Amino acid sequence: MTTTLRQTLLALLVALMAGAWAPLATAKAEEEVSLNFVNVDIDTVVRAISKISNRNFLIDPRVKGTLNIVTSKPVSAEMAYQILMSALRLQGFAAVDEGGVIKVVPEADAKTHSLPVVKSRGEVRGDRPVTRVFHIQNESATQLLQVVKPLVSANNTVAAYGNNNTLIVTDYAENVDRIARILDALDVPQGDVAVIPVRYAAAQDLAVTVGKLMSDSGAATAPDASQRVTVVADSRLNALLVKSDSPARITAVRQLVANLDQQGVAGNIHVVYLKNADAVKVAQTLRSVLSGDARTAGQAAANGGQAQSANASQGGLMAGAPGGEMIQADRATNSLIITAPEAIYSNLRNVVDMLDRRRAQVFVEALIAEVTSDRAAEFGIQFQSGSTGSKGATLFGGTNFASGGSNILGLAANPATAAKGLNLAVAKGTLTLPDGTQVLNLSMLARFLESQTNTNILSTPNIVMLDNEEAKIVVGQNLPFVTGQYTNTGGGTTPANPFQTIERKDVGLTLRIRPQISEGGALTLQIFQESSSVVASTVTSASGPVTNKRSIETTAVVDDGEIIALGGLVQDSYTSGADKVPLLGDIPVVGNLFRYDNRQRSKTNLFVFLRPRILRDSESYQSLTSDRYEYVIGQQKAVSSPADAMSKEGPAPELPAVSGKGVKR
């Protein structure tokens, strides 16, 4: 008997047996059957199991192949159905229960059908595809996605929804239950936080010591993450906050703190190294706190600096308090040396930690421009006349008043043209040009001003300063001014001893700015700007030179990155004059033909444009520094001359390029 014939007869026998048992399936649920399918088509096996389990099946046309199912002992109808599900899964097919009809489809298409959504383990068993939503309580669903994804079958899916921190898993029921057990083990609180109060020592000092000791011991004995210890000091409670997944490590920290937190001898000496603040200024502030001085720290430092200049010049500043506490600042190491009982030292240390903060910086771009507005009025008659005589002689006559452009001959050669005026609109800290263009930066504004014939850009300084610290830029000359002199003719036996007292002053452009950053991000700027020059005709004057000075001193509030314009009328001059023919020019009405009147008014305005930017960290000023550095390199390349072929001199050296975090050497 051939193999094909044997398989056919066996399939018919199973079908007949299943048909004979079908009436008994409802009456006797415990009826058991033996399965023996060897290389039997999937369609034939599904028909047999359909009659045994009393279920309706719908087979996708793409489901093709054979199954091998052999049981050593009889099994129940439900077990026969589960065995069929497992056999189909091994062949890459899945069975989806939809409304009482079992659809047999390729495994990759099962997730597109209406799979049951389960809420707990054991709700659906076996090799049936299901969907379950896991609500993650302690960990991040996005991070757990990387752990769960390799556990899911290749044709099924797992996704993370970050908005409510959930995982959606579609896979076979048994595998979903396994994933649920894994997530229960992973989604646990990450260690407890223990609060360890400190009685005598300062919590800030103990946090550094304990943290270093526990991290070193953890790295040597137990490198896994469960043995990590995090120690943070709470200055308000003077306590240590300890976090670890290992209760044994927290117990070790408690024992270590108990051994270190011992009452010391009165007048202990402590050294506190500062990271950002100035030790001398902090020492003055602490002294004011201890002595109950109501003055500000800046006033205390200014008034106490002279009396303690000897100590300061030697690298330290000693400050005493009524209770016997001593605070000394060491300039060389920027540290504080505090001699005080533990209780007082702990309070002082809290103040030091709050004062020792990194201060923000302010970068200010400035544009100083001078805008001149002239208005002239001229009224009069100038005429010229010429004729040629009979013998070729030329006669020429007329009136010719004024000079330069107002002269009739000059007007004929070069007619006057009107200059355009400066017109800027300022609204809510934003500058707008006359054509409606919004000014975004001072470089754009400078290009606009350079195009105006009546505008002179005096300077474009840039400066970086600390918050609440004054910065100053001077561009000009330091000139001597005589403030006093004495002359002795040396009559008799007294020798001549003349002398002069001279004071030097800066003449040119001066800009002083003190910024103060508010909590909301706005800046209060104290601004002083002065533009001065020496009158050329008075340089050699015996009484000394005369200077022109135009200055602005004000306080303004501006938002971070916005442009503010400061300006005012600095100079207003008026001149008038008349040119006329003697006697004829004084005749009423007719005299206007023989006279020329002119009037002129000149106004000069000084404008200061400022654009401050707050620099709170290294990243904020690295980009700014790179831009300025690249600009300098560009200017250097532009002015450098090529190497002369006739000389042995090479090209001029160039600045190194800028890397990601600074200058690349």
Side-chain angles (χ1 to χ4, degrees):
M1 183 180 295
T2 62
T3 304
T4 305
L5 180 59
R6 185 185 298 109
Q7 292 177 355
T8 304
L9 293 176
L10 180 60
L12 292 174
L13 178 60
V14 171
L16 292 174
M17 292 175 61
W21 290 341
L24 301 177
T26 305
K28 189 176 181 181
E30 292 79 6
E31 188 71 31
E32 295 181 348
V33 294
S34 295
L35 303 179
N36 189 6
F37 299 101
V38 179
N39 292 330
V40 180
D41 290 339
I42 293 178
D43 294 345
T44 303
V45 178
V46 170
R47 284 197 300 269
I49 300 298
S50 173
K51 292 186 176 295
I52 294 173
S53 62
N54 197 26
R55 287 182 170 89
N56 298 320
F57 285 83
L58 180 62
I59 303 176
D60 191 285
R62 293 171 293 176
V63 177
K64 302 293 183 181
T66 59
L67 295 178
N68 292 292
I69 302 176
V70 178
T71 60
S72 59
K73 58 182 180 179
V75 296
S76 64
E78 181 63 26
M79 180 59 68
Y81 172 73
Q82 296 296 339
I83 293 175
L84 175 62
M85 297 297 102
S86 300
L88 291 173
R89 178 181 176 183
L90 293 177
Q91 296 295 325
F93 305 113
V96 181
D97 190 351
E98 292 187 3
V101 177
I102 311 300
K103 296 181 179 179
V104 182
V105 296
E107 186 181 60
D109 295 342
K111 55 181 173 291
T112 62
H113 293 266
S114 57
L115 300 179
V117 179
V118 299
K119 298 182 179 179
S120 60
R121 291 202 302 266
E123 203 173 314
V124 177
R125 294 185 179 276
D127 292 318
R128 292 180 54 189
V130 296
T131 299
R132 182 172 176 182
V133 179
F134 294 94
H135 296 277
I136 309 302
Q137 302 296 329
N138 302 287
E139 293 290 341
S140 170
T142 304
Q143 295 180 355
L144 288 178
L145 176 64
Q146 306 302 322
V147 178
V148 176
K149 191 172 183 179
L151 305 178
V152 178
S153 304
N155 291 324
N156 293 316
T157 61
V158 56
Y161 185 60
N163 290 344
N164 58 359
N165 201 39
T166 56
L167 281 175
I168 301 96
V169 180
T170 298
D171 203 356
Y172 293 99
E174 292 294 338
N175 197 35
V176 171
D177 289 345
R178 182 173 69 98
I179 292 174
R181 291 191 294 269
I182 295 174
L183 290 178
D184 289 342
L186 295 177
D187 187 24
V188 294
Q190 294 298 314
D192 296 331
V193 177
V195 180
I196 304 176
V198 180
R199 296 181 58 189
Y200 304 108
Q204 292 84 349
D205 295 339
L206 280 183
V208 177
T209 304
V210 173
K212 182 174 178 58
L213 291 175
M214 298 307 295
S215 62
D216 291 343
S217 63
T221 60
D224 59 305
S226 63
Q227 299 298 313
R228 293 177 183 173
V229 179
T230 304
V231 183
V232 179
D234 187 351
S235 58
R236 183 177 59 89
L237 299 176
N238 194 36
L240 296 179
L241 306 180
V242 184
K243 180 180 179 181
S244 177
D245 294 340
S246 173
R249 303 285 287 173
I250 296 180
T251 303
V253 173
R254 289 184 183 274
Q255 295 176 354
L256 181 59
V257 172
N259 295 331
L260 295 176
D261 187 23
Q262 300 294 331
Q263 187 173 7
V265 181
N268 282 347
I269 299 178
H270 306 271
V271 179
V272 181
Y273 294 95
L274 303 183
K275 298 179 181 179
N276 301 288
D278 186 357
V280 175
K281 294 182 179 180
V282 173
Q284 292 291 349
T285 302
L286 296 180
R287 178 178 178 273
S288 300
V289 172
L290 290 176
S291 61
D293 196 345
R295 297 172 299 174
T296 62
Q299 293 173 338
N303 297 335
Q306 298 178 353
Q308 300 165 350
S309 59
N311 291 334
S313 63
Q314 296 177 2
L317 181 61
M318 184 70 71
E325 298 82 14
M326 301 297 292
I327 302 173
Q328 183 178 1
D330 184 60
R331 292 180 182 271
T333 59
N334 193 40
S335 60
L336 296 174
I337 303 174
I338 303 176
T339 304
E342 292 293 342
I344 297 178
Y345 167 72
S346 179
N347 293 331
L348 292 177
R349 183 58 193 272
N350 295 339
V351 177
V352 170
D353 288 342
M354 289 185 285
L355 294 177
D356 189 22
R357 304 290 184 183
R358 176 168 179 167
R359 297 168 62 182
Q361 300 183 98
V362 179
F363 171 71
V364 176
E365 297 177 276
L367 174 63
I368 304 173
E370 191 178 68
V371 181
T372 303
S373 175
D374 295 335
R375 179 174 296 178
E378 299 178 354
F379 178 77
I381 296 177
Q382 301 182 56
F383 60 90
Q384 298 290 332
S385 176
S387 62
T388 303
S390 58
K391 296 183 178 182
T394 301
L395 301 178
F396 186 82
T399 59
N400 185 21
F401 300 130
S403 61
S406 298
N407 185 278
I408 188 172
L409 300 179
L411 290 172
N414 185 21
T417 59
K420 297 181 180 179
L422 179 66
N423 182 16
L424 288 175
V426 183
K428 296 183 179 180
T430 303
L431 296 179
T432 304
L433 300 180
D435 59 358
T437 303
Q438 185 175 353
V439 177
L440 301 179
N441 51 62
L442 292 186
S443 299
M444 178 180 177
L445 179 61
R447 290 193 295 269
F448 167 74
L449 294 178
E450 287 175 351
S451 64
Q452 302 295 310
T453 58
N454 57 348
T455 302
N456 179 26
I457 298 179
L458 302 181
S459 181
T460 57
N462 299 330
I463 190 170
V464 177
M465 67 212 77
L466 282 175
D467 179 27
N468 209 27
E469 293 287 344
E470 182 180 283
K472 178 180 179 180
I473 289 182
V474 177
V475 181
Q477 294 178 311
N478 189 261
L479 300 180
F481 290 84
V482 178
T483 58
Q485 61 182 358
Y486 174 77
T487 303
N488 188 349
T489 58
T493 58
T494 305
N497 188 23
F499 69 88
Q500 290 181 333
T501 58
I502 297 176
E503 179 183 1
R504 289 187 171 272
K505 296 183 179 180
D506 295 328
V507 177
L509 288 173
T510 302
L511 178 63
R512 292 201 310 266
I513 300 177
R514 179 190 294 273
Q516 183 177 4
I517 304 174
S518 65
E519 291 296 332
L523 294 105
T524 301
L525 303 178
Q526 296 180 10
I527 307 163
F528 173 79
Q529 194 281 327
E530 178 181 289
S531 176
S532 58
S533 61
V534 177
V535 179
S537 60
T538 64
V539 173
T540 59
S541 174
S543 59
V546 177
T547 59
N548 297 322
K549 187 174 78 170
R550 292 154 292 175
S551 64
I552 297 175
E553 185 170 4
T554 183
T555 302
V557 177
V558 60
D559 291 331
D560 181 18
E562 297 294 336
I563 299 176
I564 187 172
L566 309 174
L569 181 63
V570 177
Q571 184 177 359
D572 188 0
S573 61
Y574 175 81
T575 59
S576 63
D579 291 337
K580 60 183 178 180
V581 177
L583 299 178
L584 295 178
D586 295 330
I587 301 175
V589 182
V590 180
N592 290 328
L593 299 175
F594 302 95
R595 61 182 296 133
Y596 195 88
D597 296 326
N598 62 81
R599 295 184 299 274
Q600 183 175 4
R601 168 164 288 179
S602 177
K603 296 182 180 181
T604 302
N605 289 270
L606 183 67
F607 281 95
V608 179
F609 300 93
L610 299 177
R611 183 174 182 259
R613 290 173 54 189
I614 301 176
L615 310 177
R616 298 190 182 276
D617 49 27
S618 59
E619 295 181 356
S620 58
Y621 63 76
Q622 280 180 358
S623 60
L624 183 66
T625 303
S626 300
D627 292 341
R628 296 297 184 269
Y629 194 82
E630 293 292 347
Y631 172 78
V632 173
I633 294 179
Q635 294 296 315
Q636 183 189 37
K637 293 181 179 179
V639 300
S640 60
S641 57
D644 191 354
M646 301 301 295
S647 66
K648 297 181 179 180
E649 297 182 1
E654 295 183 359
L655 294 173
V658 178
S659 62
K661 294 186 178 180
V663 179
K664 183 179 181 181
R665 298 293 180 183

